[in-house]
Amino acid sequence: MSTQTEKSPVIGKKSSPRSEAFKTFMKRLLKNKAAVIGGLVILFIILVGIIGPFLLKTDPNAQDILNKLQPPSKEHWFGTDNFGRDIFTRVVFGTKLTLKVGFLSVLIGGIIGIVLGIVSGYYGGIIDTLIMRVMDVLLAFPGILLALAIVSVLGGSLTNVIIAVGIFSVPAFARIVRGSTLQVKKLEYIDAVRALGASDGRIIFKHILPNILSPIIVQATMRIATAILTASGLAFLGLGAQPPASEWGAMLSDGRAYMHNASHMVMFPGMMIVIVVLAFNIFGDGLRDALDPKMKQ
């Protein structure tokens, strides 16, 4: 009796569409050298903000009047300020404050803007008109002036700055999310899901929101840079973090009276603001190019 050996076909593991899309995205992103550098700088700054305060044993508010306005040296890498405080230590501790303002304000503005944008784009009609007209009113004011007005009413503090910057970030998110929602809502599979009896909430959170995350992520990344710059401007005007907080904008404000004989007081905090804002903008541009489906592979 002859026996036949049955060969079972070898089935290779196929990558899911999401993993393939992620690989394509990473390939595009890594090709952009500037975006990679920007991402590494952001990662380094975040690590400094988290780990730095634990590594430094110096109190950022410790005063040494006898050694005030000292230039950079081995003992004080960034020099000392008008109270003899170590500027390097204050810059490191200020990293956490600056990033806190940037991330929290964008988180607040993003959540509110996403909700308003999706509701406006999905339901349309009078709801869309009302929401967009309110956004137009907010957009009529320059961002820094709107934040300045809000902080003036609420009072100068780090918490109020976060709220103010978050509010002026809402219109940018709302308009982008509304436009993306209008595009996705017109697709045939949305009509098919609706015909099967899916609720509005299921359609919005399971089918529309996941498909509009790309522009949201790009907008959030670039908005952090704007938030940090705005918060630093408000602190420079005395409406942000209050003394003796080592926020970079407040440090710039403290050092403007000593620019001629102790330029290091403004040079190093200003340099950090420029580096962080530039890094987020460059990385955001790289994300936009990598997430754009029209870009060539």
Side-chain angles (χ1 to χ4, degrees), residues 151-208:
V151 173
S152 298
V153 173
L154 298 178
S157 70
L158 194 64
T159 301
N160 292 338
V161 167
I162 293 174
I163 295 173
V165 177
I167 291 175
F168 102 78
S169 299
V170 170
F173 281 100
R175 291 177 69 88
I176 288 177
V177 171
R178 174 184 178 272
S180 300
T181 302
L182 289 174
Q183 292 179 352
V184 175
K185 189 178 72 170
K186 296 178 182 179
L187 299 179
E188 294 181 356
Y189 84 93
I190 297 296
D191 294 332
V193 171
R194 186 181 291 109
L196 291 174
S199 63
D200 290 342
R202 182 179 179 84
I203 294 174
I204 289 173
F205 291 104
K206 189 172 182 180
H207 299 285
I208 292 181

Side-chain angles (χ1 to χ4, degrees), residues 58-95:
T58 309
D59 183 358
N61 298 319
Q63 300 182 13
D64 184 6
I65 302 299
L66 295 178
N67 290 311
K68 66 178 182 179
L69 301 178
Q70 292 296 312
S73 62
K74 292 182 180 180
E75 292 77 18
H76 305 285
W77 291 357
F78 289 177
T80 60
D81 63 7
N82 55 315
F83 292 105
R85 297 174 296 189
D86 185 71
I87 295 178
F88 175 76
T89 303
R90 290 178 62 76
V91 167
V92 171
F93 275 80
T95 302

Side-chain angles (χ1 to χ4, degrees), residues 8-28:
S8 58
V10 178
I11 301 177
K13 293 183 179 180
K14 294 184 178 180
S15 301
S16 64
R18 289 185 178 180
S19 64
E20 288 295 331
F22 179 75
K23 289 179 181 179
T24 303
F25 159 73
M26 289 302 299
K27 187 184 298 183
R28 289 174 177 169

Side-chain angles (χ1 to χ4, degrees), residues 82-141:
N82 55 315
F83 292 105
R85 297 174 296 189
D86 185 71
I87 295 178
F88 175 76
T89 303
R90 290 178 62 76
V91 167
V92 171
F93 275 80
T95 302
K96 182 178 180 180
L97 291 177
T98 302
L99 292 178
K100 178 181 177 181
V101 173
F103 282 104
L104 288 182
S105 60
V106 170
L107 179 63
I108 293 172
I111 292 175
I112 299 174
I114 290 169
V115 171
L116 293 177
I118 288 183
V119 170
S120 178
Y122 183 79
Y123 291 103
I126 187 65
I127 296 177
D128 181 28
T129 302
L130 289 175
I131 293 177
M132 284 300 103
R133 294 301 75 77
V134 173
M135 296 301 104
D136 289 340
V137 171
L138 293 178
L139 285 172
F141 297 92

